[in-house]
Structures are given as structure tokens and as C-alpha cells.
Amino acid sequence: AVKEVEEIGMLLPQVEESVLSIGKFNSMVSLAAFFPFKSAQAALENINAISEGVVHADLKLFLETNLPLSGKKKASLGVSDAKIGAALQEELNVSIQTGGVVAEITRGIRLHFHSLVKGLTSQAASKAQLGLGHSYSRAKVKFNVNRADNMIIQSIALLDQLDKDINTFSMRVREWYGYHFPELIKIVSENSMYCRLAQLIGNRKELTEEKLESLEEVVMDSAKAQAILEASRSSMGMDISPIDLINIERFSNRVVSLAAYRQGLQEYLRSKMSQVAPNLAALIGEVVGARLISHAGSLTNLAKYPASTVQILGAEKALFRALKTRGNTPKYGLIFHSTFIGRAAAKNKGRISRYLANKCTIASRIDCFSELPTSVFGDKLREQVEERLSFYETGEVPRKNVDVMKEAVKEASLAQAHLKRDSLGDDDEGAEETPAKKKKKRKSEAEVEQPEADETEQADPPKKKKKRKSDADGVEVKVEEPEDNGTEQADPPKKKKKLKIEKVDEEPAIETPEMPVSGKKKKKKDAAE
């Protein structure tokens, strides 16, 4: 409870310093009520609710119990967070105040909290705050929606770093081994292949025709392998000592292993992109899609971007330089690395980049907000970009977007149903073996019996046979026999008669309601008598 406060004087440095002294602060602020949390879990639930701007039941109960809602002077509730303040105003219908005064008072309460509450020490309060902070951070990391994106962002960053490092190390191997065998650089231009050859050849003077097959395996060309062998015989390189050769081989071995690791990392990135953003990967490729996600920060951020932002994503420097100098703005950013813009003519590069950015935005939104991700929409969007590219080149009119999306929705629904069926099948396999086998047997027997019954019913439709039997009173009674199954129809006719006689004999025991006899039937009976 705040006794008095002056908003104008609060901004003075003397007043701000007076908040630090407990005596002066107690003269302005007094503790009215305190409600400790029952457990650490309850504290975590409350802080999660506050961070999301939701009024928790514990907070509502505490305020309703201790806040004076009726009286001459209406109480004003000071809240440091404007979001939770708006939610409290809707729930409790009280005046809420947020701003400078509230922030200063909250700072003083946080500073002197252990002295305001009896039996609480500063050490215990700091321990409780630290524990709650750790659990809150852990929960936020655990329930982070973008945690799958983080793996993609780290993978593409590592992939780019590996490309730079492998290129640098390969140039070092070329320069180092080039002292001994300079002609090899002209024959083999690829970095990873050069490192493997340096590892294989070693001393060029020891290279003989026996190693020709292994050279062909590395180079994948017999002419190149023969050229390497001939160049080694007439090389102008300097002689090299065995210890230097060992170091070169070790270093080239490291470069080769890094190149192999890069291949594995690229496969991992491809699999993660097919799980997280399959449509974006199908449309623009795994590497370019991963770079877009990494540059945006997450898939959710990329889905929020408009198509115009996605188009120039990665070309921010060029954009601001063009705006500053009033020059031409860039037409594309990271999406330039896709194959579509490279295949387009110079006059159509801007048009196809704009169209591709549109489709990338759609694909990222589908990936972000769909429950079961499939690559159906990505394939259809890729087809649309291909058709638009051919339209720019040949003038062939592409399909309408409505028709393509209808096809995509149908295929996506079928694919999602298939995925659900597979997931249900995997769950059933995890159950015990014996009940599963019994269920499968029952299902198979039922499936076998159903087709047989259908065949017999289609071959001979069941006819209801009726028999008329007269009682002692002369009332006609209709006796309906049950429908015969296909198995009973296959029996000889004599058995049928026996069954019918038995049923007829048993029926008098059943009380049948007297049927009303029409006037015409009565007249016929009188004439017969």
C-alpha cells in the first residue's frame, strides 16, 4: 500500500536516491498483504501466465481478497507490465496504473522485499529468485516452438564455415605439396581430389604403374591418371624430406576427413529440412531454404515476412545503399542462388524473382502452420514457377492458380491420411504380440466371411416364403420363415421341408395377434359353407 507519492518529484535524483534507504521507503510504502507460493511448480505456472499476459487463478484470488474494491476512495492498482495490466483491468474492473512511478516503487519493493516480509532473509529471497529464474528459462527452452529451426540454423552456419575452411586448407595443401609436384595443380583442379591424390602419391619418385589403378579410382578418368604418372617422371619439383612428406600427408588427411564430414552434414541438413520445411525445400532447395530460415531467425519469422521482404532478404546493404544514393534497388537477395533466376533471361530476372518470392512465402506459411507437413504444395508451387518461366520464354499460358491449389489440396489430404494411418500402425505394433495376433486373426476371418456372404446374397437374393394356416376360428395367419443363408440353400430340398415343418409345428405355442378379417373374405367363407 502506497501512502503518498508525487509524480513530478519522483524524477528528481534526490527522490530516486531516497528509494535506496529503507527508512524513507517505509514511510511511503507499507506491506498490506503477502501470499507465498505453495510450491515451485505453482510459482512457475504463475510466472508463465504473467509472461503470456494471462491472469492466473492464484493472482485473481489474491487481488479479490486483499484489494479494497468498495469505499470512498477507489484503489488504483500499479502494474509494471502493461500487458498483464490490461488483462487485470478486464478481469477485476479496477483502475490500473503503469509508468514511471510504478516502476520506481517496484524497484524499491524488489530491493527491500526481505525487510518488508517478516522471517525472510535476503539470502533465501535470492535463492528463490534464482531457482525460479532457472526453471522459467528451462521451460521456455523446452517449449520453444522454433527448436527444430535451431538445428537447421546451426547446420547451415556450420556448412558455410566448413566450405570456407576446406577451401583455405586445400589451398594450403596445394601450395605446400606444389613445391614437390607442381604439375599436379594443372592436371587436377578440384580441391578435395587434389588432397586425396597428395595423400595417395606421397613421394612422386615412388609413383609407378602399379598405383595406376588406385589413381584411376580417385580421379575417375584413365587419361588423367596416365597424365599424372607421366608428369611425375619429368617433374621440375624440388626433393622433399620424409618428415616434411609425413606432415603434408597428415594435413591432407585432415582436409579429406573434413570434406567427408561436410557431405554427411549436408545429408543431415536435407533430412531436417524435409521434416521441418518440406514445401520450402521442394520449391527452392534445401540449402537456399535453410539460408532463408537462418537469415530470418526462425521459420515463424520467415512466415511472417511479406513476399517483398523475402525477395530482397540477404541484400540489405545494397537496398539501403540504393535508397541513400537514390539508385536502383536490388531485385533479389538469397533467392538468387536458386536455379530459376539463373535460367531466366536478363530482362525476366526481376519478374521471376518476384514470382518466386511469392511462392516461397506461401510455402513457408504452409510449413509453419500445418500439423502434418507434406511436400505436396511445394511440388505444385515448383511446377507453377516452371510454367511461369516457360511462359516468359515461349509465351505458353500457365495453369490458373485456383486449379493447381485444388489439386494440391486433394493430394495433401490423401498424403496426410496416409501419414496418420502409418502413425497408427506404428502405435499398434508397439503393443503386445499375442493380443495383436488374435486381433489380426479375427479381422482376417471376418474379412473372409464377409465376401462369401456377399457372393451368396448376390447370386440368390433371399425370398420370404409365406404360408397360410387356418386356425379353428377360420382366421388366416401369415407365418414368415427366416431368410435362408447361402449354406442352407446348398442343402438338398428334403432337409428344407423338414426344417419348415418343425418351424410350423413350433409356432402354435407362440401367441399370434388376431388379424382383422376383411368383409370380402367373410362373404367368400359364407358362400363356401
Side-chain angles (χ1 to χ4, degrees):
V2 181
K3 296 174 184 177
E4 56 178 353
V5 70
E6 187 181 353
E7 292 187 13
I8 299 170
M10 218 47 190
L11 301 174
L12 295 172
Q14 292 86 359
V15 178
E16 288 181 356
E17 288 176 6
S18 67
V19 175
L20 300 176
S21 65
I22 183 67
K24 291 180 180 179
F25 187 74
N26 278 337
S27 64
M28 293 193 307
V29 180
S30 62
L31 183 67
F34 173 65
F35 178 69
F37 295 114
K38 294 178 181 176
S39 62
Q41 185 65 30
L44 182 61
E45 288 175 5
N46 276 272
I47 197 170
N48 280 329
I50 288 168
S51 67
E52 292 169 6
V54 180
V55 180
H56 197 269
D58 295 343
L59 177 61
K60 188 178 178 182
L61 179 65
F62 173 71
L63 291 174
E64 285 177 349
T65 307
N66 299 295
L67 197 65
L69 298 174
S70 61
K72 293 180 180 180
K73 290 183 180 180
K74 287 189 177 180
S76 179
L77 184 64
V79 183
S80 58
D81 187 18
K83 192 176 179 182
I84 192 69
L88 283 167
Q89 193 169 11
E90 288 180 6
E91 286 280 342
L92 303 173
N93 197 15
V94 296
S95 63
I96 302 292
Q97 188 176 354
T98 57
V101 178
V102 175
E104 287 296 322
I105 293 168
T106 310
R107 186 168 69 92
I109 291 169
R110 196 180 293 115
L111 185 64
H112 306 297
F113 185 67
H114 60 277
S115 59
L116 291 171
V117 179
K118 291 180 181 179
L120 183 68
T121 60
S122 60
Q123 190 177 3
S126 62
K127 278 185 179 179
Q129 287 173 0
L130 185 64
L132 182 58
H134 275 282
S135 58
Y136 175 71
S137 303
R138 198 180 299 115
K140 279 293 176 187
V141 171
K142 185 179 179 182
F143 296 111
N144 186 9
V145 182
N146 309 322
R147 63 185 181 276
D149 305 346
N150 294 336
M151 304 303 164
I152 292 171
I153 292 166
Q154 296 297 328
S155 299
I156 193 66
L158 181 57
L159 200 66
D160 292 340
Q161 188 65 42
L162 276 175
D163 286 336
K164 291 177 184 176
D165 292 345
I166 289 168
N167 190 28
T168 306
F169 294 156
S170 300
M171 294 304 293
R172 181 64 57 199
V173 171
R174 278 169 176 265
E175 189 177 351
W176 200 354
Y177 192 68
Y179 294 137
H180 178 61
F181 194 1
E183 291 82 7
L184 187 62
I185 298 170
K186 296 178 182 178
I187 300 169
V188 179
S189 58
E190 193 182 349
N191 289 333
S192 61
M193 192 181 290
Y194 186 91
C195 294
R196 287 165 66 192
L197 283 171
Q199 187 182 2
L200 176 66
I201 294 168
N203 193 350
R204 60 179 169 77
K205 291 182 179 179
E206 296 176 1
L207 186 63
T208 57
E209 290 189 1
E210 294 176 358
K211 292 185 178 180
L212 192 61
E213 290 183 5
S214 55
L215 283 174
E216 286 179 7
E217 288 178 4
V218 175
V219 181
M220 303 294 289
D221 189 359
S222 59
K224 276 189 179 181
Q226 191 65 36
I228 291 166
L229 185 62
E230 290 174 1
S232 67
R233 291 169 182 169
S234 60
S235 177
M236 296 179 67
M238 59 178 280
D239 292 337
I240 196 165
S241 62
I243 188 69
D244 295 335
L245 195 62
I246 288 167
N247 280 292
I248 292 170
E249 285 177 357
R250 280 182 181 175
F251 186 52
S252 58
N253 189 19
R254 288 292 177 91
V255 178
V256 169
S257 63
L258 274 177
Y261 173 67
R262 188 205 173 280
Q263 293 291 331
L265 185 65
Q266 193 164 8
E267 289 296 324
Y268 166 74
L269 179 64
R270 189 175 287 112
S271 67
K272 289 301 290 183
M273 281 295 290
S274 64
Q275 293 171 10
V276 177
N279 293 299
L280 189 63
L283 172 61
I284 205 171
E286 289 85 4
V287 176
V288 182
R291 283 204 176 97
L292 285 173
I293 292 170
S294 175
H295 200 83
S298 69
L299 182 61
T300 311
N301 290 347
L302 184 65
K304 290 175 184 177
Y305 284 161
S308 57
T309 306
V310 174
Q311 183 181 351
I312 58 168
L313 204 65
E316 288 83 5
K317 281 186 180 179
L319 174 67
F320 292 118
R321 185 172 61 245
L323 292 174
K324 189 177 180 180
T325 58
R326 295 184 180 180
N328 294 327
T329 55
K331 296 176 182 176
Y332 29 71
L334 289 169
I335 60 172
F336 176 76
H337 298 289
S338 68
T339 56
F340 299 110
I341 296 172
R343 284 158 52 194
K347 62 178 181 179
N348 295 325
K349 283 186 185 294
R351 299 169 73 186
I352 198 67
S353 66
R354 188 165 58 249
Y355 190 80
L356 182 61
N358 275 323
K359 299 303 175 186
C360 285
T361 309
I362 293 167
S364 62
R365 287 170 186 171
I366 292 168
D367 288 329
C368 182
F369 300 111
S370 61
E371 293 179 359
L372 292 172
T374 58
S375 62
V376 174
F377 285 100
D379 296 332
K380 292 293 180 183
L381 292 171
R382 188 180 181 85
E383 288 174 13
Q384 280 189 296
V385 180
E386 293 278 1
E387 288 173 5
R388 184 54 63 103
L389 198 60
S390 65
F391 169 67
Y392 290 149
E393 291 174 359
T394 61
E396 185 182 351
V397 180
R399 292 177 293 172
K400 288 185 178 180
N401 189 43
V402 179
D403 300 334
V404 177
M405 287 299 109
K406 281 181 181 177
E407 291 177 11
V409 167
K410 286 181 183 177
E411 291 182 17
S413 60
L414 291 172
Q416 286 178 355
H418 185 66
L419 285 171
K420 284 180 181 177
R421 204 180 301 119
D422 290 345
S423 62
L424 289 171
D426 294 339
D427 295 340
D428 292 340
E429 284 176 6
E432 293 181 0
E433 291 183 1
T434 50
K437 286 180 181 178
K438 288 179 182 177
K439 285 180 183 177
K440 284 180 183 177
K441 283 181 182 179
R442 286 174 189 170
K443 285 180 183 177
S444 60
E445 286 173 4
E447 285 173 0
V448 169
E449 286 176 6
Q450 282 177 358
E452 288 178 359
D454 293 341
E455 286 174 5
T456 51
E457 285 175 5
Q458 287 174 4
D460 295 317
K463 295 179 181 179
K464 294 180 181 179
K465 297 186 179 180
K466 298 177 181 179
K467 274 195 174 186
R468 294 181 180 178
K469 184 181 176 184
S470 58
D471 289 344
D473 299 333
V475 180
E476 288 182 359
V477 179
K478 294 180 182 178
V479 180
E480 292 186 2
E481 290 190 358
E483 297 176 3
D484 297 332
N485 293 330
T487 52
E488 289 178 357
Q489 287 176 3
D491 293 338
K494 287 182 181 179
K495 289 182 181 178
K496 277 188 179 180
K497 286 181 182 177
K498 286 180 183 178
L499 288 167
K500 288 174 186 174
I501 291 160
E502 286 172 4
K503 286 173 185 175
V504 170
D505 293 338
E506 286 172 6
E507 276 179 2
I510 300 165
E511 293 181 1
T512 54
E514 293 183 357
M515 303 293 287
V517 183
S518 61
K520 289 181 181 179
K521 289 180 181 179
K522 281 183 181 180
K523 285 180 183 178
K524 286 178 183 178
K525 286 178 183 177
D526 293 338
E529 287 174 359

